Amino acid sequence: MSKFDLHVNGQRHTVDLDPETPLVWVLRENLDLRGTKFGCGISECGSCTIMMDGQAIRSCVTTVAEAAEKKIVTVEGLADGEKLHPLQEAWEEEQVPQCGYCQPGQLMTAAALLEQKPRPTEAEIVAEMSDVLCRCGTYGRIRKAVDVAARKGGKR
Amino acid sequence: MKAIQNLSRRGFLKTSAGVAGALVLGFRLGDKAAMAASGGADLFNPNAWLEITPANKVTIHVPWTELGQGVTTAVPMLLADELAADWEAIDIKLAWNDPRFGNMGTGGSRSVRTSWDPVRQAGATARVMLENAAATEWKVDASSCKASGGSVVHAASGRSATFGELVGAAATQDAPADVALKTRAERTLIGKDLPRRDIRAKILGETEFGVDQRIEDMVYATLAVSPTFGGSLKSFDDTTALAVPGVLQVVETPSGVAVLATGTWAAIRGREALQINWDPGPHTDLDSAAISARLAAADIADGQAMRDDGDIDTALAEAATQVTASYEVPYISHSPLEPMNCTARITGDQVEVWAPIQSVTWGANVAAQAAGVEPQNVRLQPTYTGGGFGRRLMVDYVGQCVEIAKVSGKPVQLFWTREDSTKHGFYRPTSRHNMHAGLDTEGRITGWRHHLVAPSIGGQLNPQGMADGRDESAVNGAATIDYTFANLQVVYNMTNTAVPAGWLRSVYNTQNALANECFLDEIAQAAGQDPVALRLRHLPADGRLARTLRVAAKKWGWPAKAPAGRGYGVACHASFASYVTTMAEVEVEGRQVRVVRILTCVDCGPVVHPDGLRAQMEGAVCLALSALLREEITIAGGQVVESNFDDYPLLRLDEMPPVEVLTIDGEDPIGGIGEPGYPPVGPAVLNALFDATGQRVRKLPLAGNFEG
Ligand code: FES
Ligand code: FES
């Protein structure tokens, strides 16, 4: 067991854990940030995607040790208080979610994309968003919603 | 998951003054016997769908599971429209296994269509009672009091009262014997593209799925079960497992060996450290090749004629042209994104369960059995559910979780990893379809034989119950075909295996429609006819399926010649009381098949929530296409080979075509929309692939079977 400082959604937390513990479980079970979802554990589905120092990363294959001291944003930190992130607004406008289980990972993947490329091309949207599985088939709406958010100036 | 459309069994109970002065309106779906008995005491203890409190809080309890299909929007819309409620102010809750709802289970694309009449009647009844209550209070004629937007208004005097203000008086009103439902033109919510009620929480990460349940003193568990079908536990050594930090306890349960820990990760690692000696059981020789060979070897003489119109043998013998083809589909997995999980607590003889589950009542019964209590001692709260597709009609994980809670004495959350979920599913059964048709000199189909060879879901679950080899549900979409062929035979060889089989979205329609509709395309080719024209020739001209076909063909501009390297295909199928035509365009480059466009035309009668319908069609395309392109569960050594999304890859965004949805919105009998979109997708794409390449692919998935 070792102590780690985690900076999540603007808050600091100290946890005392096995350094190998995947971040997804730390977020969900130690910090009670249950918005981040586990889907596969092997970096295939993207349900567990969060932002770390502005990059989309898979929290199921990122250890708590690797995440320490980094700036982490989860789906709970996407909105600015009551103000929805432009992606969330677009998600609502396009009525994207069905079951919703994959959506935190979809949103965080899109958020990181817009951090890096505020006006992504369609090909860039498709390439990036193809990393995240949705079994319910919300793909067409995701594609549209990312584009809608980008056009509105998608960075928060 | 039977495709029933049985509205006559609906029942309706009057009202009662509910708790704390709330108006509680209840009615029952299903249970005729209980209805007949409900004239007495039961009358004042009805099913509570709707509650209105004096503080004007209107709550609708939905006894269907929200799997993403939008039921927590569509069903409340039915009630709220007739109630004339303030839609925005309504609170929507997922009902627990309240026995007053009868048998709770979400499947068969039933939720909205079986709610259509009774739920609207419930809303209308409540509205009339509120209007009558206002009329009594204000001493005016009831017909002059009108509810709208959550209040009752008396226009002449300008008086108005909220529903909440009227509940006391309304609860003393007699329920009207007959209420008139709104006409189509009078509806204010039904048929409108209202925003779904569950979206906001889902984009904030606030929706609580099964895995998000947290109860006091809860521990996290994983369960080791036999990797082979029919295997059993011989012995285990938990020394190393107990040494894993965070592992609290290891217990043997009737289902396997459970590891309880302070967190999911520790429970996973603890399980990895278990030394288990399994008896592999009797099926270690079972593999996919052997199953496929068994299907191919099935003798039609051993089958059951599930439908036998006319004289098929003579029709085929006398046909001017005969066409034959065989199709085969593999086992596939539901793979919803949320892995199986369940949370349970046992306190004395009371059991509480929280689960992402479709079969709520069955789940509660299984929980009762596992805990050794009566079913009425179980309270099961279905949670928001990260996809289901039929997998959560099976309740294995609920029983397992309650067993662990019982043996360990702890409140527990059982978590299945993705590997568990892939390897221990109830798979859409594999099947083989031997098709044989005869045509006369005019190119009219005079004989049609569909010989289905497949495991039976019902027969494997309940071997005694289907000892005669007749499974009506297995021939759904084969025996219930919409085409009129004078001589039509459907024969079923029940070919059960040790591989667990379950209901997957649209069930046997997935494969029966594929065989029907690909075969029709082959017949059209053999007879030199246009595939749409051939279908129309054999469908009742004024029928609903033919109408979807005509509408889709017109929109598509059929018949049309696809550009080089591309192909167009069509398929139509009726299931779950709805009628769907799908057209597909594919682009082929070598072995690469890209579906570039899907058009689908749906007739489900009245469309309750148009955008919800579109979403269901998009979802059906995604699931069907994923299966068609590459999904396959293979069996080796009596166990499932695939384990995670690396070896069981699902369709991704870059492979999803745009889906255009047309509807024939009308007042014909209402059908389901969760499943009917699926069956025509696969055959439309395969027919388009033929159009593009001249090749017939008769074995799925395309990966491994289409050589380019
Ligand atoms: S859970 Fe991390 S990528 Fe699937
Ligand atoms: S919305 Fe259900 S998995 Fe994406």
Side-chain angles (χ1 to χ4, degrees):
Chain A
M1 304 293 251
S2 318
K3 286 211 156 90
F4 299 100
D5 273 339
L6 295 173
H7 301 188
V8 186
N9 301 334
Q11 291 197 352
R12 289 170 171 272
H13 308 264
T14 306
V15 292
D16 189 10
L17 289 166
D18 175 350
E20 293 298 306
T21 312
L23 184 59
V24 62
W25 302 118
V26 182
L27 294 169
R28 291 181 47 79
E29 294 171 7
N30 299 87
L31 306 187
D32 200 33
L33 293 168
R34 288 168 281 154
T36 303
K37 298 294 185 255
F38 177 98
C40 69
I42 59 164
S43 196
E44 280 285 333
C45 74
S47 288
C48 66
T49 306
I50 57 157
M51 246 198 300
M52 192 160 89
D53 288 346
Q55 306 273 344
I57 62 121
R58 302 286 165 90
S59 64
C60 69
V61 291
T62 304
T63 65
V64 63
E66 289 164 337
E69 307 293 340
K70 304 272 173 45
K71 189 169 169 281
I72 291 165
V73 183
T74 69
V75 68
E76 291 90 343
L78 199 53
D80 185 5
E82 293 291 291
K83 172 116 186 60
L84 293 181
H85 188 283
L87 281 163
Q88 290 169 314
E89 282 173 6
W91 247 242
E92 212 162 50
E93 210 170 294
E94 299 303 324
Q95 295 281 294
V96 173
Q98 287 189 30
C99 82
Y101 194 80
C102 72
Q103 300 298 336
Q106 306 280 7
L107 282 161
M108 298 316 293
T109 304
L113 170 66
L114 298 189
E115 286 283 324
Q116 274 133 41
K117 297 194 178 100
R119 290 299 298 269
T121 63
E122 196 180 348
E124 285 167 340
I125 293 173
V126 169
E128 195 67 23
M129 299 313 296
S130 292
D131 280 352
V132 190
L133 291 174
C134 173
R135 188 59 156 165
C136 297
T138 66
Y139 293 136
R141 293 170 188 240
I142 289 170
R143 203 166 154 160
K144 177 127 184 263
V146 176
D147 190 53
V148 165
R151 278 168 205 286
K152 286 186 184 164
K155 270 179 75 170
R156 187 163 74 204
Chain B
M1 199 99 163
K2 270 179 289 174
I4 52 163
Q5 191 193 17
N6 191 352
L7 297 179
S8 65
R9 292 198 305 159
R10 70 174 181 267
F12 198 94
L13 298 183
K14 233 175 70 168
T15 64
S16 79
V19 267
L23 174 67
V24 181
L25 184 94
F27 59 94
R28 186 189 300 272
L29 294 166
D31 203 341
K32 212 173 194 171
M35 260 308 297
S38 71
D42 198 25
L43 191 65
F44 292 97
N45 190 21
N47 299 321
W49 281 61
L50 170 67
E51 286 172 23
I52 305 174
T53 67
N56 203 28
K57 190 160 147 45
V58 180
T59 305
I60 296 176
H61 298 267
V62 179
W64 310 100
T65 306
E66 180 58 83
L67 304 155
Q69 82 281 43
V71 71
T72 47
T73 300
V75 168
M77 280 169 74
L78 300 178
L79 198 143
D81 197 329
E82 290 291 345
L83 179 62
D86 176 0
W87 173 250
E88 300 295 330
I90 287 177
D91 200 22
I92 294 162
K93 289 219 165 84
L94 306 178
W96 59 283
N97 64 315
D98 186 333
R100 292 171 300 171
F101 279 117
N103 193 342
M104 285 167 68
T106 302
S109 302
R110 273 195 298 267
S111 308
V112 170
R113 62 185 166 121
T114 60
S115 300
W116 174 249
D117 279 340
V119 175
R120 286 186 305 145
Q121 275 161 7
T125 302
R127 186 197 69 237
V128 170
M129 292 170 68
L130 289 159
E131 289 170 344
N132 290 349
T136 311
E137 298 265 293
W138 299 333
K139 301 189 171 54
V140 296
D141 189 63
S143 66
S144 65
C145 294
K146 287 274 165 270
S148 105
S151 296
V152 180
V153 178
H154 182 244
S157 65
R159 268 180 297 199
S160 107
T162 65
F163 288 175
E165 288 164 345
L166 293 167
V167 294
T172 64
Q173 295 283 325
D174 280 334
D178 257 327
V179 288
L181 297 179
K182 287 182 174 179
T183 63
R184 195 177 169 83
E186 287 166 341
R187 293 173 193 153
T188 54
L189 301 173
I190 294 168
K192 300 275 181 311
D193 263 337
L194 302 176
R196 280 174 63 140
R197 293 295 297 256
D198 54 346
I199 298 248
R200 178 59 70 92
K202 285 176 176 173
I203 59 171
L204 292 173
E206 286 176 355
T207 300
E208 296 207 344
F209 295 92
V211 285
D212 300 323
Q213 303 306 310
R214 297 290 182 264
I215 56 175
E216 211 184 331
D217 297 329
M218 180 185 102
V219 300
Y220 299 82
T222 52
L223 179 70
V225 299
S226 166
T228 52
F229 310 128
S232 55
L233 180 68
K234 280 216 284 221
S235 62
F236 69 97
D237 178 350
D238 58 11
T239 320
T240 332
L242 286 167
V244 171
V247 170
L248 301 168
Q249 194 179 358
V250 175
V251 295
E252 184 183 336
T253 73
S255 300
V257 183
V259 177
L260 290 82
T262 52
T264 305
W265 172 240
I268 292 171
R269 295 211 28 225
R271 187 176 63 170
E272 283 163 7
L274 279 176
Q275 306 289 319
I276 305 186
N277 194 357
W278 298 106
D279 175 344
H283 304 297
T284 49
D285 287 343
L286 189 68
D287 64 28
S288 291
I291 295 170
S292 179
R294 244 186 95 199
L295 298 186
D299 187 344
I300 192 167
D302 299 333
Q304 293 286 326
M306 305 300 289
R307 182 166 171 187
D308 208 351
D309 299 355
D311 179 353
I312 186 67
D313 289 324
T314 308
L316 292 176
E318 291 175 356
T321 314
Q322 295 196 37
V323 186
T324 60
S326 292
Y327 303 89
E328 189 178 334
V329 302
Y331 285 106
I332 57 174
S333 161
H334 305 78
S335 299
L337 257 271
E338 181 185 11
M340 300 305 115
N341 66 88
C342 180
T343 307
R345 168 166 56 208
I346 303 178
T347 317
D349 63 354
Q350 299 297 310
V351 181
E352 293 162 282
V353 179
W354 296 262
I357 187 176
Q358 295 177 250
S359 301
V360 172
T361 302
W362 187 18
N365 291 342
V366 164
Q369 221 167 14
V373 302
E374 293 301 315
Q376 63 265 27
N377 292 14
V378 177
R379 185 177 165 120
L380 191 156
Q381 175 66 60
T383 64
Y384 280 88
T385 294
F389 317 112
R391 174 60 183 88
R392 296 182 223 268
L393 286 162
M394 296 295 185
V395 295
D396 47 335
Y397 51 99
V398 173
Q400 291 174 353
C401 180
V402 174
E403 286 170 2
I404 299 168
K406 183 175 159 86
V407 177
S408 70
K410 293 189 172 72
V412 66
Q413 179 168 93
L414 170 65
F415 181 75
W416 285 31
T417 60
R418 175 56 53 192
E419 288 78 7
D420 295 334
S421 299
T422 307
K423 287 187 175 295
H424 301 286
F426 289 85
Y427 308 96
R428 192 285 306 270
T430 179
S431 60
R432 186 182 167 98
H433 308 255
N434 304 312
M435 312 296 288
H436 192 167
L439 282 74
D440 63 18
T441 49
E442 251 89 84
R444 174 168 284 278
I445 299 167
T446 50
W448 173 279
R449 176 187 277 151
H450 186 156
H451 175 211
L452 167 67
V453 187
S456 159
I457 300 167
Q460 290 194 182
L461 286 174
N462 177 14
Q464 275 79 44
M466 281 194 192
D468 60 1
R470 297 183 69 82
D471 178 355
E472 296 291 341
S473 94
V475 291
N476 260 344
T480 56
I481 197 165
D482 261 46
Y483 299 101
T484 44
F485 303 131
N487 304 286
L488 166 61
Q489 189 184 55
V490 177
V491 179
Y492 175 47
N493 283 59
M494 188 184 286
T495 314
N496 294 348
T497 74
V499 183
W503 305 281
L504 182 141
R505 196 175 195 168
S506 75
V507 202
Y508 286 96
N509 287 286
T510 62
Q511 56 246 79
N512 288 330
L514 189 109
N516 294 340
E517 292 297 302
C518 285
F519 190 50
L520 270 165
D521 216 65
E522 301 212 29
I523 294 171
Q525 180 200 351
Q529 295 181 51
D530 174 77
V532 169
L534 177 76
R535 284 174 173 80
L536 287 173
R537 204 173 162 188
H538 294 88
L539 285 171
D542 54 354
R544 295 172 68 179
L545 192 56
R547 184 165 51 172
T548 65
L549 191 51
R550 284 193 297 266
V551 170
K554 183 160 182 229
K555 183 72 201 264
W556 190 272
W558 191 285
K561 177 105 196 71
R566 295 202 174 199
Y568 299 153
V570 62
C572 61
H573 189 71
S575 59
F576 308 94
S578 286
Y579 304 80
V580 183
T581 291
T582 299
M583 296 194 152
E585 176 175 355
V586 301
E587 185 181 60
V588 188
E589 242 190 271
R591 283 182 188 197
Q592 269 301 99
V593 179
R594 266 173 46 78
V595 180
V596 294
R597 183 181 158 211
I598 294 281
L599 171 75
T600 189
C601 178
V602 187
D603 178 2
C604 64
V607 177
V608 173
H609 189 221
D611 193 50
L613 182 147
R614 284 191 290 275
Q616 283 304 291
M617 293 303 133
E618 291 160 15
V621 168
C622 178
L623 207 66
L625 211 50
S626 191
L628 183 82
L629 292 179
R630 65 176 79 88
E631 286 184 35
E632 177 168 19
I633 286 290
T634 45
I635 310 299
Q639 56 184 296
V640 169
V641 173
E642 290 75 20
S643 63
N644 204 319
F645 296 132
D646 51 350
D647 55 9
Y648 194 82
L650 311 181
L651 194 86
R652 290 185 179 272
L653 180 139
D654 57 358
E655 301 170 300
M656 178 81 186
V659 179
E660 185 183 352
V661 180
L662 309 174
T663 55
I664 295 174
D665 193 358
E667 293 300 301
D668 278 331
I670 190 165
I673 56 154
E675 295 165 275
Y678 187 122
V681 174
V685 172
L686 287 177
N687 295 340
L689 185 59
F690 169 77
D691 189 43
T693 65
Q695 288 186 54
R696 297 285 180 193
V697 180
R698 302 193 182 93
K699 189 169 195 257
L700 295 190
L702 287 184
N705 292 303
F706 175 63
E707 295 304 325

